[in-house]
Each structure stands twice: as structure tokens, then as C-alpha cells.
Amino acid sequence: VVAGLVPPSRFSELRQHFRAEFNASPYMEKYVLEALFLMGDADYAVARMKERYAKMVADPYLTTLWEGWALNTAEFGGGTSNHAWSGGPLTLMYQYLAGIRPTSPGYKTFQVLPNLGPLQRMRAVVPSAAGEIAVALERLQDDSQIVLDVVVPKAGTARVALPVREGRPFLSMTLNGTSVWSRGVVSRSLPTGVSQSPGNDPHVTFSLPPGKWRLLGTR
């Protein structure tokens, strides 16, 4: 799935497989979780992540991630209590939940295409060569609205879109309080420096220049 070799017609079968099999080490679990995100199953990806790493997170004596699922045993070869390769879920939270990823070297251009999954809100900050990128996302009014705050650094340009939820399309969107999209039509007068950015349907994406931006979508 991660390499793009599996056709979408097999995704349903694989989702069921990942609900029954728990054989990956903490390092390789990252690729199981990434496959789930790529197959559109963010809800289970987050649930599985929380279940698999719960013991490490709850440990009262250690603030590090372990090489194996248990310490001082031969399971998965035992290993150390501080293992950088077990930190894959941290990268996935930035890349898929917060949706932040570079589209050119040094984050000179980047995208923010978040997916909240089962979460109510999130905040993330990426210190990049272009400057500090900050993203905050929250569901409002029983999920009838979603607000996305993005700080685009002076040396950057961002391609931004609100998360799409099947069966619940947005009726309108505002950017910094100005209407930019309503019932499938992009406003003819967008804020200075802002343009509609080509994206995969059903996302409505905007190209944002440096500054602080609030994109609010109403269903």
C-alpha cells in the first residue's frame, strides 16, 4: 500500500487483515499505520496506534519509546528502552492527521491537507528552513463547522484544504472572515495573494501567501 502497488479494490480485504494481525515490531508498525491512513482508515489507524503504544506512553518511569513491545524479555529480541526507530507514529501524526508535508526542499512550498480522523482538535508546529509553520484544527458546533488556522512563514507558500468527510459536504467557506467558496462556487474576489489551487476532488484547495490564515468551513 505504501509503495502504491496494491489496487484500491484490495483495500477492504487489507483493512480486515490489519484488524486481526498484530505481528509488527514497534519500528515496522509505522508502515502498518501508514497503510491504514493511505487506505482512508484514519479512525482505526489512531485507535490501533493508541492500543499498540499504550504501555510505553503510560510507563511512569520512562519518557522514551522502546525497541520491543516489552522490556527485559526476549520478545522481538528484547532491546533498548530508548529507540528512535520506534517513533514512526509521531511522523504520521504530522504528515496525515495534521496533513503537513513539504512540496519543495526546505518547505519553501508545503501543503496542509489535514485529516482529523476521530479527533476533536489538534495543534502542530513544524520548525522549517522557511520559518515556523503552525497548524490548528478543530470541530465546532457538533461537527457542523471546522476551523483551520495556518501560519505560513515569510519564506513559504502553502496549499491548504479543509478535511473532507464523506456524506457531509461543506456549504460555504470563509478565509479570514471573507467568503471564498459557497455551494460549489469559488468567490471572484479572493483576499490579496490568495488563489484557488488545483486539487483532487472533492477537496477545495487554496494557495496561501505568508501570514496568519483562518479557513472556516460550514456544512
Side-chain angles (χ1 to χ4, degrees):
V1 174
V2 175
L5 301 177
V6 180
S9 61
R10 299 292 302 275
F11 285 178
S12 178
E13 178 184 351
L14 285 174
R15 289 191 196 101
Q16 296 305 313
H17 177 76
F18 288 147
R19 281 166 169 75
E21 300 294 339
F22 300 89
N23 299 312
S25 68
Y27 165 51
M28 293 303 297
E29 181 71 13
K30 182 259 186 185
Y31 299 100
V32 175
L33 297 171
E34 185 166 13
L36 288 167
F37 279 116
L38 289 171
M39 291 190 295
D41 203 348
D43 285 12
Y44 179 60
V46 172
R48 181 176 171 122
M49 184 190 303
K50 292 170 69 175
E51 178 183 356
R52 293 288 265 162
Y53 292 86
K55 190 174 180 180
M56 299 185 202
V57 173
D59 190 288
Y61 303 110
L62 296 172
T63 58
T64 53
L65 297 171
W66 312 341
E67 188 172 357
W69 295 115
L71 294 176
N72 303 318
T73 75
E75 186 177 10
F76 295 104
T80 70
S81 60
N82 187 1
H83 198 67
W85 284 12
S86 296
L90 297 169
T91 68
L92 298 179
M93 285 189 278
Y94 279 88
Q95 186 176 356
Y96 292 100
L97 291 178
I100 306 168
R101 68 174 73 187
T103 53
S104 65
Y107 284 86
K108 185 175 181 180
T109 62
F110 62 95
Q111 67 181 31
V112 180
L113 304 179
N115 182 351
L116 271 170
L119 305 181
Q120 182 69 24
R121 64 184 63 86
M122 72 173 70
R123 293 181 183 273
V125 176
V126 174
S128 75
E132 189 171 273
I133 299 166
V135 172
L137 186 67
E138 185 174 6
R139 304 182 199 269
L140 303 174
Q141 299 183 8
D142 297 326
D143 203 25
S144 63
Q145 290 185 325
I146 289 185
V147 60
L148 173 62
D149 292 308
V150 180
V151 175
V152 182
K154 292 182 179 180
T157 301
R159 177 175 174 264
V160 176
L162 290 173
V164 172
R165 189 168 181 179
E166 187 176 352
R168 297 202 64 189
F170 290 106
L171 300 177
S172 63
M173 296 182 190
T174 62
L175 184 64
N176 285 6
T178 299
S179 176
V180 292
W181 189 86
S182 179
R183 298 185 183 275
V185 179
V186 176
S187 173
R188 293 183 179 180
S189 56
L190 296 174
T192 302
V194 175
S195 62
Q196 185 184 11
S197 176
N200 296 324
D201 185 72
H203 290 91
V204 180
T205 59
F206 296 94
S207 178
L208 304 182
K212 294 182 179 180
W213 301 98
R214 167 164 286 194
L215 184 60
L216 174 66
T218 301
R219 293 187 170 100

